[in-house]
Amino acid sequence: MEAKILSTGFPYRNLPRKYVRPESDRPKLPEVSGYEIVPVVDLGCDDKARLNQQIGDACRRFGVFQVVNHGVEKEAVEEMLRVADEFFKLPVEEKMELYSEDPTRTVRLSTSFNVTKEEIHNWRDYLRLHCWPLHQFLPHWPSNPSSFKEVVSKYVEAVRQLGLRLEEAISESLGLEQDCVKGILGEQGQHMAINYYPPCPEPELTYGLPAHTDPNTLTILLQDSQVCGLQVLHDGKWVAVNPHPHAFVVNIGDQLQALSNGVYKSVWHRAVVNADKPRISVASFLCPDDNALISAPPPLTANRSSPVYRNFTYSEYYKKFWSRNLDQEHCLELFKN
Ligand code: OGA
Ligand code: NI
């Protein structure tokens, strides 16, 4: 069996050709700013008005922020990273039983981004899980490592609480009622991508994930606590978002950009790889109900003749997103009025 995934346990000596980007499309790592400019929001702060303002500012200016004192227990986070690491260390034959290139599968191990659509691959393996409602999906999750289901379900529930709380703050920061944003999104689904970026022999020639925006509402990213790799685009420059102790990175996705009538930015971000150490990240995606009609509520469109985007359902958007390649124009552009 040809191993399609990268996490085979055998170190690579050379970067295979199908991962090499053309010169115009490389990470140009020396040009990336190392300044820590992505805001860190302390959710332990009692002053709600101030918190909402900080979150609103971050969403408008950056489309991304980090949160600390977020209420997810340290142990839940550490255990999550531990089972993620153990999973990718399983024998390749066992992992390959979960391998699929079909994005509609609710549990699948895959590699790169969209192997059937893309020409150049990315230096990443990932395990993607549908997570909510838990009782529906949990039985199908991997049962090796043996604590996987227990650890991941705990983590999923805690992160969901955080995500819903952030959506309330975001709603208020837009001048809307606390529950307005959640109301539009309906019964939200939740997906998880456990990303594994193996050490890469020529990191300057390729990406772990090339520049993209997330198609969902809100993403809560748990980064490897040791290894850098996440970068966001700010004012036309790539900026590193290095691991901050006990923080999550929160980024606005396409649905919040549409729902806020373009006021909040779905941030462009990418993951770069390195030659020395594997890197793990765990992305939790809150997603609108499939039938949720995404439209900016009237207070946000009052000053314009028409909203920036036409109304669409999330399922329509999601199908469009996965039918494309990450490198194409922004999917939201296709929904402009
Ligand atoms: C993602 C993502 C970034 C990272 O999974 O959508 O952007 O640092 N991940 O792994
Ligand atoms: Ni992303």
Side-chain angles (χ1 to χ4, degrees):
M1 177 187 61
E2 189 207 351
K4 295 182 174 160
I5 57 173
L6 293 167
S7 53
T8 59
F10 300 105
Y12 281 84
R13 273 167 208 237
N14 301 101
L15 186 67
R17 274 243 313 277
K18 61 186 180 182
Y19 293 88
V20 178
R21 298 258 157 190
E23 204 150 335
S24 59
D25 178 27
R26 291 183 184 165
K28 302 189 184 68
L29 298 172
E31 291 174 23
V32 173
S33 167
Y35 287 111
E36 309 257 336
I37 59 167
V38 172
V40 180
V41 177
D42 182 352
L43 294 182
C45 159
D46 289 332
D47 185 344
K48 198 169 158 198
R50 194 179 128 97
L51 263 185
N52 290 349
Q53 164 138 35
Q54 287 180 341
I55 290 174
D57 278 353
C59 293
R60 241 183 313 269
R61 294 182 49 221
F62 293 87
V64 61
F65 53 99
Q66 308 193 59
V67 289
V68 292
N69 294 321
H70 42 60
V72 181
E73 282 175 27
K74 192 163 155 246
E75 194 196 338
V77 169
E78 285 169 358
E79 285 285 284
M80 180 65 236
L81 287 172
R82 181 183 61 78
V83 292
D85 183 54
E86 278 182 20
F87 175 83
F88 281 100
K89 285 188 177 139
L90 290 174
V92 64
E93 298 74 22
E94 180 162 359
K95 285 186 288 194
M96 283 308 282
E97 286 172 21
L98 296 171
Y99 185 84
S100 166
E101 293 171 6
D102 172 3
T104 63
R105 286 272 296 261
T106 61
V107 178
R108 65 182 183 118
L109 175 70
S110 197
T111 191
S112 188
F113 168 69
N114 196 352
V115 251
T116 58
K117 295 276 192 294
E118 67 203 10
E119 280 169 20
I120 304 178
H121 298 317
N122 307 300
W123 201 255
R124 163 181 91 137
D125 287 345
Y126 62 104
L127 177 66
R128 198 167 167 113
L129 307 171
H130 287 217
C131 302
W132 201 267
L134 261 180
H135 65 86
Q136 185 180 340
F137 297 114
L138 183 138
H140 311 291
W141 290 355
S143 32
N144 197 6
S146 58
S147 60
F148 188 93
K149 288 180 181 170
E150 190 192 332
V151 167
V152 178
S153 53
K154 247 192 207 148
Y155 180 81
V156 161
E157 286 188 302
V159 164
R160 186 175 186 84
Q161 290 315 312
L162 169 61
L164 297 176
R165 181 181 165 200
L166 290 168
E167 286 175 358
E168 292 175 358
I170 285 171
S171 200
E172 289 183 324
S173 74
L174 286 164
L176 305 167
E177 295 292 324
Q178 180 173 285
D179 289 334
C180 178
V181 164
K182 287 192 301 183
I184 294 170
L185 300 169
E187 282 301 314
Q188 292 181 73
Q190 189 171 335
H191 297 185
M192 175 184 280
I194 306 179
N195 299 310
Y196 184 85
Y197 305 96
C200 176
E202 292 180 278
E204 58 290 333
L205 303 184
T206 193
Y207 291 106
L209 268 176
H212 67 283
T213 64
D214 288 345
N216 52 297
T217 312
L218 189 76
T219 303
I220 299 180
L221 184 81
L222 167 59
Q223 291 206 73
D224 193 304
S225 60
Q226 309 289 327
V227 189
C228 302
L230 177 67
Q231 300 176 349
V232 298
L233 192 64
H234 180 64
D235 287 345
K237 280 213 173 70
W238 286 101
V239 181
V241 187
N242 295 334
H244 192 96
H246 311 300
F248 289 111
V249 179
V250 178
N251 67 269
I252 298 297
D254 296 349
Q255 305 311 312
L256 276 180
Q257 178 166 331
L259 196 156
S260 68
N261 206 31
V263 174
Y264 286 1
K265 298 289 178 284
S266 179
V267 68
W268 286 93
H269 56 288
R270 64 186 193 181
V272 298
V273 289
N274 75 86
D276 308 318
K277 287 185 181 160
R279 173 172 178 264
I280 286 179
S281 72
V282 180
S284 297
F285 306 104
L286 280 176
C287 320
D289 183 284
D290 270 350
N291 298 313
L293 191 66
I294 305 303
S295 73
L300 301 181
T301 57
N303 296 332
R304 298 178 57 101
S305 51
S306 67
V308 178
Y309 304 102
R310 71 168 172 83
N311 294 352
F312 53 84
T313 61
Y314 184 56
S315 66
E316 184 189 353
Y317 194 87
Y318 203 67
K319 275 193 208 102
K320 183 71 100 198
F321 179 82
W322 278 100
S323 70
R324 303 158 67 255
N325 178 355
L326 269 192
D327 297 342
Q328 284 171 306
E329 93 177 312
H330 197 304
C331 192
L332 253 188
E333 289 293 313
L334 306 171
F335 292 83
K336 267 203 162 140
N337 259 329

